[in-house]
Amino acid sequence: MLSYAEEILLLALDDETGAIKPLPAQAMHYALAGALLIELAMAGRIDTDLQTLRVTDRAPTGDALLDDVLQRLTAPQPVPRKTSDWLGQLVTDMPDLQERVLARLVDKGVLRIEDRRILWVFAVRRYPLLEDREVREVRARLRAVIDSDDIPSPEEAVLIALVNACDLFDEVFTPAELRRLGPRIDTLSRLDLIGREVASAVDEISRSVAAAMLPHL
């Protein structure tokens, strides 16, 4: 079974080349951090509301990546911190998060590592799929819940919010389908608190980048 972080990263990989697709600024970093917080919440280790994120159980989960995050959350803080604050902190403190999630997918036999050189000089690493069963399953699950009138489960709402924050639904639906289903995607994306915080952070960064570029246009 794949984690939220692993599913998001699978959708972000080009099926043919194994390269990460172009995404909004910092979207993947925030989505992965948010996915880990959600996993901890579902494991009963943290609780969140509109104001604060609280650790409710310090016991290790047995998952090295989740326990790394949990240890950071349990460090003494001068004042309670919001979920959005923790997202930003995790993105800053865990710059290798994407590589760690990719390594897990390699260990699970979902991806393989392929090192190449561009122009025989520049080294690049790609992660082609060994088989596409897992990514097809994620896409099918998203299609089933969004293209219906069903109320998503908490797990499905989480995934929808994170995929939407990364602007990855064009990997699931055709342009015509997205025009029809866009309002429902937006509605469902607001059902999960941490997912909303991820989307807000990505949107704020994207607007900042666009504003910084305006003087140069």
Short mmCIF file of all heavy atoms in Angstrom, two decimals, residues 26-59:
data_model
loop_
_atom_site.label_atom_id
_atom_site.label_comp_id
_atom_site.label_asym_id
_atom_site.label_seq_id
_atom_site.Cartn_x
_atom_site.Cartn_y
_atom_site.Cartn_z
N GLN A 26 7.27 25.35 -5.74
CA GLN A 26 7.28 24.72 -4.42
C GLN A 26 6.09 23.79 -4.18
O GLN A 26 5.90 23.30 -3.06
CB GLN A 26 7.31 25.77 -3.30
CG GLN A 26 8.61 26.55 -3.21
CD GLN A 26 9.67 25.80 -2.42
OE1 GLN A 26 9.82 24.60 -2.54
NE2 GLN A 26 10.42 26.52 -1.60
N ALA A 27 5.27 23.54 -5.21
CA ALA A 27 4.05 22.74 -4.99
C ALA A 27 4.37 21.35 -4.46
O ALA A 27 3.74 20.89 -3.50
CB ALA A 27 3.25 22.64 -6.30
N MET A 28 5.33 20.67 -5.08
CA MET A 28 5.63 19.31 -4.65
C MET A 28 6.17 19.28 -3.22
O MET A 28 5.80 18.43 -2.42
CB MET A 28 6.63 18.66 -5.61
CG MET A 28 7.01 17.24 -5.24
SD MET A 28 5.58 16.13 -5.02
CE MET A 28 4.89 16.16 -6.67
N HIS A 29 7.04 20.23 -2.87
CA HIS A 29 7.61 20.26 -1.53
C HIS A 29 6.50 20.40 -0.47
O HIS A 29 6.49 19.70 0.54
CB HIS A 29 8.60 21.40 -1.39
CG HIS A 29 9.80 21.25 -2.27
ND1 HIS A 29 9.80 21.61 -3.60
CD2 HIS A 29 11.04 20.76 -2.03
CE1 HIS A 29 10.99 21.36 -4.12
NE2 HIS A 29 11.76 20.84 -3.19
N TYR A 30 5.58 21.33 -0.71
CA TYR A 30 4.50 21.53 0.26
C TYR A 30 3.53 20.36 0.27
O TYR A 30 3.03 19.97 1.33
CB TYR A 30 3.75 22.84 -0.04
CG TYR A 30 4.40 24.03 0.61
CD1 TYR A 30 5.41 24.72 -0.03
CD2 TYR A 30 4.01 24.47 1.87
CE1 TYR A 30 6.03 25.82 0.57
CE2 TYR A 30 4.62 25.56 2.48
CZ TYR A 30 5.62 26.23 1.82
OH TYR A 30 6.23 27.29 2.42
N ALA A 31 3.25 19.79 -0.89
CA ALA A 31 2.33 18.65 -0.93
C ALA A 31 2.90 17.45 -0.19
O ALA A 31 2.17 16.76 0.54
CB ALA A 31 2.03 18.28 -2.38
N LEU A 32 4.19 17.19 -0.34
CA LEU A 32 4.81 16.06 0.37
C LEU A 32 4.81 16.30 1.88
O LEU A 32 4.52 15.39 2.66
CB LEU A 32 6.23 15.83 -0.14
CG LEU A 32 6.35 15.36 -1.59
CD1 LEU A 32 7.82 15.21 -1.98
CD2 LEU A 32 5.60 14.05 -1.81
N ALA A 33 5.15 17.53 2.29
CA ALA A 33 5.12 17.84 3.72
C ALA A 33 3.70 17.70 4.26
O ALA A 33 3.48 17.15 5.35
CB ALA A 33 5.65 19.26 3.95
N GLY A 34 2.72 18.20 3.51
CA GLY A 34 1.33 18.07 3.93
C GLY A 34 0.88 16.62 4.01
O GLY A 34 0.15 16.23 4.92
N ALA A 35 1.33 15.82 3.04
CA ALA A 35 0.97 14.40 3.05
C ALA A 35 1.48 13.70 4.29
O ALA A 35 0.78 12.87 4.89
CB ALA A 35 1.54 13.73 1.79
N LEU A 36 2.68 14.05 4.74
CA LEU A 36 3.23 13.43 5.94
C LEU A 36 2.46 13.86 7.19
O LEU A 36 2.21 13.05 8.09
CB LEU A 36 4.70 13.79 6.09
CG LEU A 36 5.62 13.25 4.98
CD1 LEU A 36 7.05 13.73 5.20
CD2 LEU A 36 5.57 11.73 4.93
N LEU A 37 2.07 15.13 7.24
CA LEU A 37 1.26 15.59 8.38
C LEU A 37 -0.09 14.86 8.41
O LEU A 37 -0.58 14.48 9.48
CB LEU A 37 1.04 17.10 8.29
CG LEU A 37 2.26 17.98 8.54
CD1 LEU A 37 1.87 19.45 8.45
CD2 LEU A 37 2.89 17.69 9.90
N ILE A 38 -0.66 14.66 7.24
CA ILE A 38 -1.95 13.96 7.18
C ILE A 38 -1.79 12.51 7.63
O ILE A 38 -2.64 11.96 8.35
CB ILE A 38 -2.52 14.04 5.75
CG1 ILE A 38 -2.96 15.48 5.45
CG2 ILE A 38 -3.70 13.08 5.58
CD1 ILE A 38 -3.19 15.76 3.99
N GLU A 39 -0.71 11.87 7.22
CA GLU A 39 -0.45 10.49 7.66
C GLU A 39 -0.33 10.43 9.19
O GLU A 39 -0.86 9.52 9.83
CB GLU A 39 0.83 9.97 7.02
CG GLU A 39 0.78 9.83 5.51
CD GLU A 39 0.19 8.50 5.07
OE1 GLU A 39 -0.18 7.69 5.93
OE2 GLU A 39 0.11 8.28 3.85
N LEU A 40 0.34 11.42 9.77
CA LEU A 40 0.48 11.45 11.23
C LEU A 40 -0.87 11.69 11.90
O LEU A 40 -1.16 11.11 12.95
CB LEU A 40 1.47 12.54 11.64
CG LEU A 40 2.95 12.23 11.39
CD1 LEU A 40 3.80 13.46 11.66
CD2 LEU A 40 3.42 11.05 12.25
N ALA A 41 -1.69 12.54 11.30
CA ALA A 41 -3.02 12.78 11.86
C ALA A 41 -3.86 11.50 11.84
O ALA A 41 -4.54 11.17 12.82
CB ALA A 41 -3.72 13.90 11.09
N MET A 42 -3.79 10.77 10.74
CA MET A 42 -4.58 9.55 10.62
C MET A 42 -4.03 8.43 11.50
O MET A 42 -4.76 7.50 11.86
CB MET A 42 -4.65 9.11 9.16
CG MET A 42 -5.48 10.06 8.31
SD MET A 42 -5.87 9.42 6.69
CE MET A 42 -7.15 10.58 6.19
N ALA A 43 -2.74 8.54 11.86
CA ALA A 43 -2.15 7.57 12.78
C ALA A 43 -2.40 7.95 14.24
O ALA A 43 -1.92 7.27 15.15
CB ALA A 43 -0.65 7.45 12.52
N GLY A 44 -3.13 9.05 14.46
CA GLY A 44 -3.46 9.48 15.81
C GLY A 44 -2.33 10.15 16.55
O GLY A 44 -2.36 10.25 17.78
N ARG A 45 -1.33 10.65 15.81
CA ARG A 45 -0.19 11.28 16.47
C ARG A 45 -0.34 12.80 16.60
O ARG A 45 0.25 13.39 17.50
CB ARG A 45 1.12 10.99 15.71
CG ARG A 45 1.49 9.52 15.62
CD ARG A 45 1.54 8.87 17.00
NE ARG A 45 2.18 7.57 16.98
CZ ARG A 45 1.56 6.42 16.74
NH1 ARG A 45 0.24 6.44 16.49
NH2 ARG A 45 2.21 5.28 16.75
N ILE A 46 -1.09 13.43 15.72
CA ILE A 46 -1.30 14.87 15.79
C ILE A 46 -2.77 15.20 15.59
O ILE A 46 -3.54 14.38 15.08
CB ILE A 46 -0.45 15.64 14.75
CG1 ILE A 46 -0.89 15.28 13.32
CG2 ILE A 46 1.03 15.38 14.95
CD1 ILE A 46 -0.23 16.14 12.24
N ASP A 47 -3.14 16.41 15.99
CA ASP A 47 -4.48 16.92 15.75
C ASP A 47 -4.33 18.37 15.30
O ASP A 47 -3.38 19.06 15.70
CB ASP A 47 -5.33 16.84 17.02
CG ASP A 47 -6.81 17.06 16.72
OD1 ASP A 47 -7.20 16.99 15.54
OD2 ASP A 47 -7.56 17.32 17.68
N THR A 48 -5.22 18.81 14.46
CA THR A 48 -5.14 20.18 13.94
C THR A 48 -6.50 20.85 13.98
O THR A 48 -7.54 20.19 13.95
CB THR A 48 -4.65 20.20 12.48
OG1 THR A 48 -5.60 19.49 11.65
CG2 THR A 48 -3.29 19.53 12.34
N ASP A 49 -6.47 22.18 14.08
CA ASP A 49 -7.68 22.97 13.89
C ASP A 49 -7.26 24.23 13.15
O ASP A 49 -6.14 24.33 12.64
CB ASP A 49 -8.37 23.29 15.22
CG ASP A 49 -7.45 23.98 16.22
OD1 ASP A 49 -6.56 24.74 15.79
OD2 ASP A 49 -7.62 23.77 17.43
N LEU A 50 -8.14 25.21 13.08
CA LEU A 50 -7.83 26.42 12.32
C LEU A 50 -6.70 27.22 12.94
O LEU A 50 -6.07 28.04 12.27
CB LEU A 50 -9.08 27.29 12.20
CG LEU A 50 -10.22 26.70 11.35
CD1 LEU A 50 -11.44 27.61 11.40
CD2 LEU A 50 -9.77 26.49 9.92
N GLN A 51 -6.41 27.00 14.22
CA GLN A 51 -5.41 27.80 14.91
C GLN A 51 -4.08 27.10 15.15
O GLN A 51 -3.03 27.70 14.99
CB GLN A 51 -5.98 28.27 16.26
CG GLN A 51 -7.20 29.18 16.13
CD GLN A 51 -6.91 30.43 15.31
OE1 GLN A 51 -5.85 31.04 15.47
NE2 GLN A 51 -7.83 30.82 14.45
N THR A 52 -4.12 25.83 15.53
CA THR A 52 -2.88 25.17 15.94
C THR A 52 -2.79 23.73 15.46
O THR A 52 -3.81 23.09 15.15
CB THR A 52 -2.74 25.16 17.48
OG1 THR A 52 -3.86 24.46 18.04
CG2 THR A 52 -2.67 26.57 18.03
N LEU A 53 -1.56 23.23 15.44
CA LEU A 53 -1.28 21.82 15.24
C LEU A 53 -0.68 21.31 16.55
O LEU A 53 0.27 21.88 17.06
CB LEU A 53 -0.31 21.62 14.08
CG LEU A 53 0.05 20.19 13.69
CD1 LEU A 53 0.40 20.11 12.21
CD2 LEU A 53 1.22 19.64 14.52
N ARG A 54 -1.23 20.22 17.07
CA ARG A 54 -0.80 19.70 18.36
C ARG A 54 -0.39 18.23 18.23
O ARG A 54 -1.06 17.46 17.52
CB ARG A 54 -1.92 19.80 19.39
CG ARG A 54 -2.45 21.20 19.62
CD ARG A 54 -3.63 21.21 20.58
NE ARG A 54 -4.73 20.37 20.09
CZ ARG A 54 -5.59 20.76 19.16
NH1 ARG A 54 -5.49 21.97 18.61
NH2 ARG A 54 -6.57 19.97 18.78
N VAL A 55 0.68 17.85 18.90
CA VAL A 55 1.07 16.45 19.00
C VAL A 55 0.25 15.82 20.12
O VAL A 55 0.27 16.30 21.25
CB VAL A 55 2.57 16.29 19.27
CG1 VAL A 55 2.92 14.82 19.51
CG2 VAL A 55 3.38 16.86 18.11
N THR A 56 -0.47 14.77 19.80
CA THR A 56 -1.32 14.11 20.80
C THR A 56 -0.74 12.77 21.27
O THR A 56 -1.17 12.22 22.27
CB THR A 56 -2.72 13.85 20.22
OG1 THR A 56 -2.59 13.08 19.00
CG2 THR A 56 -3.42 15.17 19.90
N ASP A 57 0.23 12.24 20.54
CA ASP A 57 0.85 10.97 20.91
C ASP A 57 2.27 10.97 20.36
O ASP A 57 2.47 11.04 19.15
CB ASP A 57 0.05 9.80 20.33
CG ASP A 57 0.57 8.45 20.78
OD1 ASP A 57 1.66 8.38 21.38
OD2 ASP A 57 -0.11 7.43 20.51
N ARG A 58 3.27 10.90 21.25
CA ARG A 58 4.66 10.97 20.84
C ARG A 58 5.23 9.60 20.46
O ARG A 58 6.39 9.51 20.06
CB ARG A 58 5.51 11.56 21.98
CG ARG A 58 5.18 13.01 22.30
CD ARG A 58 5.84 13.45 23.58
NE ARG A 58 5.57 14.86 23.86
CZ ARG A 58 6.43 15.85 23.64
NH1 ARG A 58 7.62 15.57 23.14
NH2 ARG A 58 6.10 17.09 23.90
N ALA A 59 4.46 8.55 20.58
CA ALA A 59 4.96 7.21 20.30
C ALA A 59 5.35 7.08 18.83
O ALA A 59 4.61 7.50 17.95
CB ALA A 59 3.89 6.17 20.64
#
